[in-house]
C-alpha cells in the first residue's frame, strides 16, 4: 500500500490538488484496482466512519461506485434521497449540510448543478467547526475530479505505467460538447498535468472560450481534430446545462462530430475510445464502436470508478 497522505480536507477540483496529491491518489487507486482484481481482502479502513451521498442531480455510475467503494472499505453509508428530504420543505443548503455533519457524517459526496457549491459547503462546515469532508461528485460545468482520476487510472493501467511515469507521449482528443462538460474541464487539467498532449474538437458553439485553455490546440473539423490521436474521448450533448438548446439536431451532431469505426480512421491506427457515460448511441458515438472492446475503454472506465473512489475515500477519510 502506498505511503502518503493529503494536506487538504475537501476535494473541490483537480486544480486544488498538488502534484503530490495526484500521484498519491493515483498510486492508491492502482493499489486498490490490483487488490480487487486479485481478489485480495480489503482492509476496512473506514470502519466507524460515515459517508453520505448527496446527489441533487441524477447519476448511475458516480453514485453507485461511491457507494460500492465506501462499502468495500467498511464505511456506514446513507444515500439521501433529495426528493423526499427536507430540502423540499425549503431547508437551505447551508442548514442541510450542517445538519448532516452534526449527526456525525465524516464525508458528504456531493453532486450539484451550481458552480461553487463544494466550496460553499466546505465554508458552511468550517463556520461551525465540523470536520466533515466535502467531495465533488460533479459540480455544474466546473469539474468532476473523480471522473478525471478514474480516466487517468484507466489509461495508466492500459499502458502499463505508474502515476510517476504519467501519460507523456500520448495524444488525446476530446470531441463534442466540451463547453458544457465538467468531465472535459477536469480532464483538460489532469491529463495535461500528467504529460498528455490534448486537443479539442467539436461544434464551434460547443467549444470553451479560448482564454480558458490557451495551451490546448483545436482541430478544424473531425478529420484534423482526430489526426495523430492515440485516445479519443467522446462527449454527449449536455442538454441539462444548456439554456437555449443545442442549436443542432442529433443527426447533425453525429454527421459532423460522431465517432464510428469510419471516422476513427482519422486517428492513429488502433486508437482508443473513451466516454464518461451515459452514452447516447448514434448521437456522439456509434453503438458498434462503443461496444468494440478492441478500441473501447468505456467499460474499463466504469470498472476503474470503484478503486478510484476507494482511493479518494481512503485518502480523505482515513484517520
Ligand atoms: N460519468 C458520470 O458522471 O456518470 P453518472 O452521471 O452516471 O454518474
Amino acid at each position: 500500500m502506498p505511503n502518503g497522505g493529503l494536506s487538504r480536507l475537501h476535494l473541490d477540483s483537480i486544480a486544488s490538488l498538488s502534484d503530490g496529491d495526484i500521484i498519491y491518489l493515483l498510486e492508491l487507486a492502482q493499489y486498490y484496482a490490483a487488490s480487487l482484481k486479485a481478489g485480495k481482502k480489503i482492509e476496512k479502513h473506514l470502519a466507524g466512519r460515515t459517508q453520505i451521498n448527496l446527489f441533487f442531480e441524477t447519476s448511475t455510475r458516480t453514485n453507485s461506485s461511491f457507494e460500492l467503494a465506501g462499502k468495500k472499505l467498511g464505511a456506514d453509508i446513507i444515500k439521501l434521497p433529495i426528493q423526499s428530504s427536507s430540502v423540499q420543505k425549503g431547508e437551505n443548503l447551508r442548514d442541510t449540510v450542517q445538519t448532516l455533519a452534526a449527526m456525525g457524517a465524516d464525508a458528504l459526496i456531493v453532486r450539484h448543478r451550481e458552480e461553487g457549491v463544494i466550496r460553499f459547503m466546505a465554508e458552511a462546515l468550517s463556520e461551525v467547526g465540523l470536520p466533515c469532508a466535502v467531495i465533488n461528485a460533479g459540480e455544474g460545468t466546473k469539474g468532476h475530479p473523480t471522473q478525471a482520476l478514474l480516466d487517468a487510472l484507466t489509461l495508466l493501467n492500459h499502458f502499463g505505467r505508474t502515476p510517476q511515469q504519467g501519460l507523456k507521449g500520448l495524444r488525446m482528443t476530446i470531441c463534442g460538447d466540451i463547453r458544457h462538460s465538467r468531465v472535459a474541464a477536469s480532464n483538460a487539467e489532469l491529463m495535461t498535468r500528467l504529460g498528455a498532449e490534448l486537443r479539442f474538437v467539436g461544434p464551434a458553439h460547443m467549444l470553451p472560450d479560448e482564454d480558458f485553455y490557451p495551451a490546448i490546440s483545436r482541430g478544424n473539423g473531425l478529420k484534423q481534430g482526430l489526426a495523430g490521436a492515440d485516445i479519443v474521448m467522446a462527449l454527449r450533448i449536455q442538454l441539462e446545462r444548456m439554456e437555449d438548446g443545442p442549436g443542432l439536431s442529433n443527426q447533425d451532431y453525429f454527421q459532423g462530430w460522431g465517432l464510428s469505426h469510419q471516422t476513427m480512421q482519422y486517428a492513429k491506427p488502433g486508437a482508443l475510445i473513451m466516454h464518461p457515460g451515459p452514452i447516447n448511441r448514434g448521437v456522439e458515438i456509434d453503438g458498434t464502436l462503443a461496444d468494440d472492446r478492441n478500441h473501447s475503454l468505456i467499460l474499463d472506465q466504469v470498472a476503474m470508478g470503484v478503486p478510484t473512489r476507494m482511493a479518494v475515500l481512503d485518502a480523505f477519510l482515513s484517520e
Side-chain angles (χ1 to χ4, degrees):
M1 184 156 194
N3 287 321
L6 301 169
S7 54
R8 65 211 65 246
L9 176 61
H10 309 286
L11 177 51
D12 177 36
S13 61
I14 293 294
S16 73
L17 298 172
S18 68
D19 289 347
D21 291 336
I22 289 170
I23 298 290
Y24 175 61
L25 286 169
L26 288 172
E27 283 178 350
L28 205 49
Q30 274 193 329
Y31 165 80
Y32 278 125
S35 299
L36 292 176
K37 192 173 175 190
K40 284 192 184 156
K41 186 171 178 289
I42 304 293
E43 297 292 331
K44 305 291 186 199
H45 287 173
L46 299 187
R49 309 285 278 162
T50 300
Q51 163 191 339
I52 300 185
N53 287 14
L54 201 54
F55 278 59
F56 292 84
E57 280 188 339
T58 56
S59 166
T60 296
R61 281 149 283 271
T62 313
N63 203 349
S64 304
S65 59
F66 261 117
E67 182 174 358
L68 268 173
K71 282 184 171 158
K72 286 180 187 298
L73 292 168
D76 297 324
I77 299 173
I78 293 173
K79 284 168 87 171
L80 187 75
I82 300 297
Q83 289 310 320
S84 55
S85 75
S86 290
V87 169
Q88 305 305 327
K89 298 179 202 159
E91 185 168 66
N92 70 27
L93 202 53
R94 183 173 174 275
D95 289 334
T96 299
V97 168
Q98 291 181 350
T99 297
L100 294 172
M103 67 179 71
D106 297 295
L108 301 178
I109 314 300
V110 179
R111 172 166 290 191
H112 203 287
R113 63 175 285 115
E114 278 178 40
E115 285 168 33
V117 88
I118 303 298
R119 203 167 291 174
F120 174 85
M121 288 181 171
E123 283 165 10
L125 294 170
S126 167
E127 277 170 25
V128 288
L130 289 166
C132 172
V134 184
I135 307 290
N136 182 348
E139 179 194 28
T141 57
K142 186 184 156 192
H144 192 352
T146 62
Q147 176 70 44
L149 287 165
L150 77 86
D151 290 338
L153 176 67
T154 303
L155 290 173
L156 291 171
N157 283 356
H158 181 86
F159 289 102
R161 297 194 188 180
T162 64
Q164 290 280 5
Q165 289 169 322
L167 299 172
K168 286 182 196 68
L170 294 171
R171 287 188 182 172
M172 174 188 260
T173 296
I174 303 183
C175 179
D177 179 14
I178 295 160
R179 189 178 188 88
H180 302 99
S181 172
R182 50 195 174 207
V183 174
S186 289
N187 266 316
E189 166 92 19
L190 183 59
M191 298 298 170
T192 305
R193 283 173 70 180
L194 289 171
E197 188 186 317
L198 251 69
R199 187 180 297 157
F200 289 156
V201 67
H205 68 291
M206 292 186 181
L207 293 178
D209 295 340
E210 300 249 5
D211 300 352
F212 287 167
Y213 301 102
I216 296 180
S217 66
R218 289 157 189 248
N220 183 13
L222 200 55
K223 188 171 184 180
Q224 193 200 54
L226 300 194
D230 301 283
I231 306 140
V232 183
M233 179 174 285
L235 296 176
R236 68 185 172 88
I237 303 173
Q238 282 133 109
L239 290 169
E240 70 275 25
R241 290 192 275 280
M242 290 177 182
E243 285 176 10
D244 302 321
L248 80 180
S249 68
N250 286 347
Q251 289 83 352
D252 287 344
Y253 193 80
F254 187 73
Q255 190 71 31
W257 315 102
L259 301 176
S260 62
H261 282 102
Q262 196 181 346
T263 55
M264 281 297 286
Q265 287 178 14
Y266 299 143
K268 270 194 187 162
L272 300 164
I273 278 285
M274 300 181 84
H275 192 310
I279 296 171
N280 294 123
R281 291 167 184 260
V283 182
E284 68 273 11
I285 189 166
D286 179 64
T288 55
L289 178 63
D291 295 336
D292 180 353
R293 299 298 297 273
N294 290 322
H295 291 278
S296 172
L297 294 178
I298 295 171
L299 290 179
D300 302 84
Q301 291 172 265
V302 174
M304 289 304 108
V306 177
T308 299
R309 285 159 181 144
M310 288 169 77
V312 166
L313 291 172
D314 193 342
F316 281 88
L317 282 183
S318 283
E319 284 179 306

